[in-house]
Amino acid sequence: MWMYKKYLWYPINIKKRDLKLAKVIVTQYGGPYGELGAALRYLNQRYTMPDDRSKALLTDIGTEELGHVEMLATLFYQLIGGASLEELKEHCLEAHYAQHGGEIFMTDAFGVPFTVANIGATGDPIADLAEDMAAEEKARATYENLMDLTDDPDVLAPLSYLRAREIIHYTRFKELYDEFKNQKRMLRK
Amino acid sequence: MNNIKKIEEDSNQKTITLLPIEDVLITGTIFKELHDPYKIIPDIPVPETEEAKLLHEIQGLSIAAIDLNLYLDVYPRDAKGVELFNAVNKRLETRVKEYEDKYGALSLCGSNMKVPWSWLETNWPWLGDQ
């Protein structure tokens, strides 16, 4: 089960509305390398992990990612917050307004809705952990791309934080991956 | 809390350097070797209110706790790691209690809820420091 804590992993206080940036940052909310996909991927891959450590790691990183989903939602919400209809039109957000009004929604930067179709779950811990490592690297690269697209310190700081977490997650996944891969090799000998 | 502590992994005795807890909100990790920023990020603004200051401290401690948590998932026999996790969590608990006594509930785990319902007294996280 899960419990909610009423604070973000990292403070987000954006003072300057930026619809252009909102439109691309949304990909880390509902895009292919985004946080929602990460949370669902890890939480869904837990069940066939071979030992307590890997079950724990996927549970705990998956749970942390749910908090990152909230951070991305917050970034998007604060970046479009209070925009007038004129401003939305100016940035080609009529489709967003028509379908979602002032609410946020999980899409990639092209507006394609979130899908689980690309999330892997093979039941093979080595294959799944390899996918998880790749997922973390893809998210890290996306955060760097996003950081190239803004100079607003209020946005850069949380993006930098989220990027830092990708490095940690990658490292922990890799530690287990290397160990499981080695064990498999030993068994074959 | 020591600024730098070493944890010995049970497997290969690799030593790990930890960053000061006070810096964890900036670095996003407590593990010095894994701190590898892409760009230099301007310091996060110093919180204007006592409430925000306390919340930043809670956030920093939460990050230190999850970082040690994930580490211990992989290296469960690291006694120094467990000791440090307990110390960080104790500090976190104290700060959360301090915050909740003053401003309202951050979770539904506590037993000091008041009327009006303390759960509604704290800010919604996505609205930022208000």
Side-chain angles (χ1 to χ4, degrees):
Chain A
M1 66 108 92
W2 273 267
M3 297 281 284
Y4 183 66
K5 288 192 182 174
K6 212 175 165 186
Y7 58 94
L8 296 177
W9 274 116
Y10 186 94
I12 301 178
N13 294 292
I14 296 171
K15 296 181 258 330
K16 215 175 97 228
R17 183 157 58 235
D18 188 340
L19 299 184
K20 217 168 144 185
L21 194 58
K23 281 176 74 174
V24 291
I25 263 187
V26 74
T27 191
Q28 278 308 93
Y29 185 43
Y33 318 133
E35 300 290 353
L36 183 59
L40 296 178
R41 175 183 299 108
Y42 307 146
L43 293 176
N44 184 80
Q45 288 177 354
R46 302 182 290 164
Y47 302 92
T48 53
M49 280 291 146
D51 68 354
D52 289 329
R53 296 180 312 154
S54 43
K55 285 183 177 75
L57 192 66
L58 284 171
T59 302
D60 297 339
I61 295 183
T63 301
E64 184 186 350
E65 304 286 16
L66 288 173
H68 294 173
V69 173
E70 186 182 37
M71 280 184 68
L72 262 299
T74 299
L75 283 167
F76 185 79
Y77 180 72
Q78 291 189 10
L79 282 169
I80 63 160
S84 67
L85 210 47
E86 278 316 305
E87 281 175 282
L88 290 173
K89 283 188 196 162
E90 217 173 280
H91 291 90
C92 303
L93 282 160
E94 294 99 325
H96 179 91
Y97 182 77
Q99 288 186 322
H100 310 297
E103 191 54 275
I104 62 171
F105 198 65
M106 313 82 165
T107 70
D108 72 3
F110 297 94
V112 178
F114 178 71
T115 173
V116 294
N118 300 321
I119 290 179
T122 63
D124 178 317
I126 291 174
D128 283 355
L129 285 170
E131 188 200 355
D132 302 343
M133 286 156 59
E136 295 293 336
E137 289 289 35
K138 287 185 277 191
R140 178 196 51 75
T142 309
Y143 282 122
E144 289 173 10
N145 295 342
L146 289 171
M147 288 170 78
D148 291 339
L149 292 170
T150 180
D151 50 16
D152 182 348
D154 293 340
V155 182
L156 276 173
L159 289 179
S160 172
Y161 170 78
L162 289 159
R163 175 187 171 278
R165 298 309 299 160
E166 308 299 341
I167 295 172
I168 301 297
H169 297 167
Y170 171 83
T171 305
R172 299 292 169 244
F173 283 138
K174 185 171 187 302
E175 285 163 345
L176 281 188
Y177 170 87
D178 287 346
E179 207 178 300
F180 291 168
K181 189 90 179 171
N182 256 336
Q183 281 170 8
K184 202 173 173 185
R185 222 173 267 142
M186 303 284 270
L187 286 173
R188 274 212 208 99
K189 272 177 193 164
Chain B
M1 191 75 54
N2 295 340
N3 274 0
I4 288 177
K5 254 191 165 174
K6 296 225 160 90
I7 293 179
E8 284 176 0
E9 287 178 35
D10 53 338
S11 50
N12 54 9
Q13 301 287 301
K14 193 170 80 182
T15 55
I16 286 174
T17 315
L18 297 186
L19 294 163
I21 299 268
E22 292 69 27
D23 291 351
V24 167
L25 193 59
I26 313 283
T27 57
T29 180
I30 197 170
F31 297 100
K32 189 164 187 268
E33 287 80 2
L34 298 178
H35 175 48
D36 179 23
Y38 177 55
K39 286 181 179 177
I40 299 197
I41 303 303
D43 284 344
I44 46 170
V46 180
E48 282 169 21
T49 62
E50 277 300 306
E51 181 180 358
K53 207 177 136 195
L54 195 48
L55 200 57
H56 281 209
E57 208 181 324
I58 288 170
Q59 286 165 317
L61 288 164
S62 302
I63 297 162
I66 182 74
D67 224 8
L68 291 162
N69 162 190
L70 300 181
Y71 170 82
L72 289 165
D73 285 350
V74 181
Y75 305 102
R77 291 180 191 283
D78 190 320
K80 282 181 182 164
V82 174
E83 190 188 316
L84 187 58
F85 177 85
N86 288 337
V88 167
N89 248 359
K90 195 162 260 176
R91 235 171 102 174
L92 178 59
E93 262 171 50
T94 311
R95 288 286 175 264
V96 166
K97 191 173 180 314
E98 197 181 318
Y99 185 98
E100 292 188 324
D101 285 345
K102 282 186 189 158
Y103 307 110
L106 288 176
S107 80
L108 292 159
C109 301
S111 55
N112 55 343
M113 301 300 260
K114 297 185 191 76
V115 181
W117 186 226
S118 303
W119 188 228
L120 307 190
E121 296 299 299
T122 36
N123 295 330
W124 291 105
W126 54 89
L127 300 178
D129 299 343
Q130 290 169 323

